[in-house]
């Protein structure tokens, strides 16, 4: 892969040659390399200008050449794996290793392909929210284990899911007890409810209760517990993101649809990610075609909810954003591909770029394959 320094040097040399020949343009090869590495020719030209004058752009932040990675206890915590057949399993954290590229996770027939992986830390109890807006309380030890899947036990043997209902979002009970529960939908709707509406000290209920209502054709894309002074970030498929104060969401009862959180760019747009913005350092973004980057979260100022937000990534025609997550450069990211392949890789493998950059290629896709999503994971070595 071409390095940034090599591209900058090539641009400087090309500029020197062009100075002697006013009709000489930027070489096509150098232009292509600048586009690939920096995501935009303009950013590469600015870097070359800085190099040429021997200075540094005022206020510029340089990315460290080496990111400290420390494997902690979090690596041992379970990962929760969701499959295309609506199954949910608990996997031993170290079973998903950092690799050189995407790999298939061995699974038996009948449970479908991996479509999501979630890390929530350790806890004595979990609240599991379904795609239909219901919630269930469960001891984590009751979630079927991935390495015991051959016994035929599924999440439907644990929770009283109805019809096509699927277990989708996991929130530790301790977070709900001390905060508010916020849900966000693909249509840009959402609301907050006091944690006491869910945790009344009556123990865990596996039969299910209503957590929020959904408009026809809408579905939840995120459920989170937020504390006081929190902010929320929502991102759309067309590459926009909005950052607003959670206090803008007044508390409602569980049986409510909510209010508008984000203005979308038409019928083809949808909210695809949402997370709490408190203490976030960077965000990572990836597209269906495998382009990705990291962005300093400070570039996204807080705004009033309900607007279109700010640009997260400049898309190629026909591409779309499929994942945006809060990111720590010293930890890991997980790429989920449509074929069922999964790749755990260091977050620092995603180049740090500005909001308007397209990103660089982070994964080589097979024919007909696309990226389904992106998840944040603790450091795994």
């Amino acid at each position: 892969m071409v390095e940034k320094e090599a591209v900058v040097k090539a641009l400087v040399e090309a500029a020197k040659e062009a100075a002697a020949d006013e009709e000489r343009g930027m070489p096509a090869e150098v232009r292509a390399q600048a586009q690939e590495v920096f995501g935009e020719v303009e950013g590469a030209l600015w870097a070359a200008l800085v190099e040429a004058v021997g200075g540094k752009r005022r206020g510029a932040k340089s990315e460290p050449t080496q990111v400290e990675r420390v494997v902690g206890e979090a690596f041992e915590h379970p990962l929760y794996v969701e499959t295309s057949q609506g199954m949910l399993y608990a996997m031993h954290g170290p079973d998903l290793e950092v690799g050189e590229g995407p790999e298939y996770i061995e699974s038996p027939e009948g449970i479908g392909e991996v479509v999501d992986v979630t890390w929530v830390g350790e806890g004595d109890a979990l609240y599991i929210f379904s795609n239909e807006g219901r919630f269930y309380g469960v001891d984590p030890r009751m979630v079927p284990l991935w390495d015991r899947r051959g016994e035929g036990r599924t999440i439907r043997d644990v929770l009283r899911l109805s019809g096509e209902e699927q277990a989708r979002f996991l929130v530790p009970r301790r977070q709900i007890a001390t905060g508010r529960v916020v849900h966000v939908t693909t249509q840009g709707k959402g609301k907050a409810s006091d944690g006491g509406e869910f945790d009344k000290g009556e123990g865990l209920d596996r039969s299910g209760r209503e957590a929020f209502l959904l408009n026809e054709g809408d579905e939840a894309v995120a459920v989170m517990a937020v504390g006081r002074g929190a902010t929320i970030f929502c991102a759309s498929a067309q590459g926009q993101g909005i950052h607003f104060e959670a206090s803008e969401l007044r508390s409602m009862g569980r049986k409510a649809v909510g209010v508008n959180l984000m203005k979308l760019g038409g019928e083809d747009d949808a909210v695809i990610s949402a997370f709490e913005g408190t203490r976030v350092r960077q965000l990572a973004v990836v597209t269906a075609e495998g382009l990705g980057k990291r962005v300093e979260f400070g570039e996204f100022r807080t705004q009033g909810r309900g607007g279109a937000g700010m640009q997260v990534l400049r898309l190629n025609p026909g591409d779309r954003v499929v994942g945006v997550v809060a990111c720590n450069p010293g930890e890991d990211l997980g790429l989920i591909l449509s074929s069922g392949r999964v790749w755990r890789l260091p977050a620092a493998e995603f180049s740090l770029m500005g909001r308007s950059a397209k990103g660089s290629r982070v994964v080589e896709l097979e024919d007909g394959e696309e990226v389904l999503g992106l998840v944040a994971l603790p450091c795994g070595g």
Side-chain angles (χ1 to χ4, degrees), residues 74-129:
F75 182 49
E76 299 290 336
H77 296 169
L79 300 176
Y80 294 93
V81 180
E82 181 186 348
T83 77
S84 57
Q85 294 298 319
M87 305 299 182
L88 182 72
Y89 294 93
M91 173 187 287
H92 184 45
D95 286 349
L96 182 59
E97 299 178 339
V98 173
E100 295 297 323
E103 295 182 352
Y104 291 96
I105 300 180
E106 182 181 357
S107 61
E109 295 182 4
I111 70 169
E113 306 291 350
V114 175
V115 295
D116 200 9
V117 178
T118 304
W119 177 87
V120 295
E122 279 193 320
D124 60 350
L126 285 175
Y127 278 157
I128 299 177
F129 294 79

Side-chain angles (χ1 to χ4, degrees), residues 24-45:
R24 183 190 294 271
M26 183 187 298
E29 181 180 1
V30 176
R31 177 181 291 275
Q33 291 174 350
Q35 184 75 32
E36 176 186 353
V37 175
F38 284 84
E40 54 182 357
V41 176
E42 292 82 359
L45 289 173

Side-chain angles (χ1 to χ4, degrees), residues 9-192:
K9 183 177 179 180
L11 283 168
V12 172
E13 292 300 322
K16 289 179 180 179
E17 294 178 7
D21 182 356
E22 294 182 357
E23 295 184 1
R24 183 190 294 271
M26 183 187 298
E29 181 180 1
V30 176
R31 177 181 291 275
Q33 291 174 350
Q35 184 75 32
E36 176 186 353
V37 175
F38 284 84
E40 54 182 357
V41 176
E42 292 82 359
L45 289 173
W46 182 249
L49 176 60
V50 171
E51 175 70 19
V53 300
K56 292 185 178 179
R57 181 174 47 166
R58 184 177 181 182
K61 296 182 178 179
S62 59
E63 184 177 1
T65 55
Q66 185 173 4
V67 176
E68 183 180 8
R69 290 174 52 79
V70 179
V71 180
E73 293 182 3
F75 182 49
E76 299 290 336
H77 296 169
L79 300 176
Y80 294 93
V81 180
E82 181 186 348
T83 77
S84 57
Q85 294 298 319
M87 305 299 182
L88 182 72
Y89 294 93
M91 173 187 287
H92 184 45
D95 286 349
L96 182 59
E97 299 178 339
V98 173
E100 295 297 323
E103 295 182 352
Y104 291 96
I105 300 180
E106 182 181 357
S107 61
E109 295 182 4
I111 70 169
E113 306 291 350
V114 175
V115 295
D116 200 9
V117 178
T118 304
W119 177 87
V120 295
E122 279 193 320
D124 60 350
L126 285 175
Y127 278 157
I128 299 177
F129 294 79
S130 79
N131 62 323
E132 296 182 359
R134 293 172 61 80
F135 75 100
Y136 303 79
V138 64
D139 186 316
R141 293 171 294 185
M142 298 191 68
V143 178
L145 295 177
W146 184 263
D147 58 359
R148 295 180 185 171
R149 58 194 183 278
E151 298 176 1
R153 185 167 172 266
T154 73
I155 194 65
R156 292 187 175 277
D157 298 315
V158 179
L159 308 179
R160 298 177 186 175
L161 298 169
S162 62
E164 300 298 318
E165 189 178 17
Q166 299 180 7
R168 291 294 313 278
F169 311 101
L170 297 90
V171 182
R173 183 182 188 182
R174 65 180 182 276
Q175 294 180 6
I176 289 178
T178 59
R180 296 197 300 164
V181 176
V182 173
H183 85 276
V184 180
T185 77
T186 57
Q187 293 179 2
K189 297 285 187 179
K191 72 171 178 66

Side-chain angles (χ1 to χ4, degrees), residues 310-343:
M310 306 170 69
Q311 189 175 48
V312 175
L313 179 142
R314 185 159 50 92
L315 286 165
N316 287 326
D319 200 2
R320 69 187 188 282
V321 174
V322 294
V324 179
V325 298
C327 168
N328 182 327
E331 297 191 339
D332 293 344
L333 295 171
L335 282 169
I336 316 297
L337 309 185
S338 60
S339 63
R341 295 198 297 163
V342 179
W343 185 14

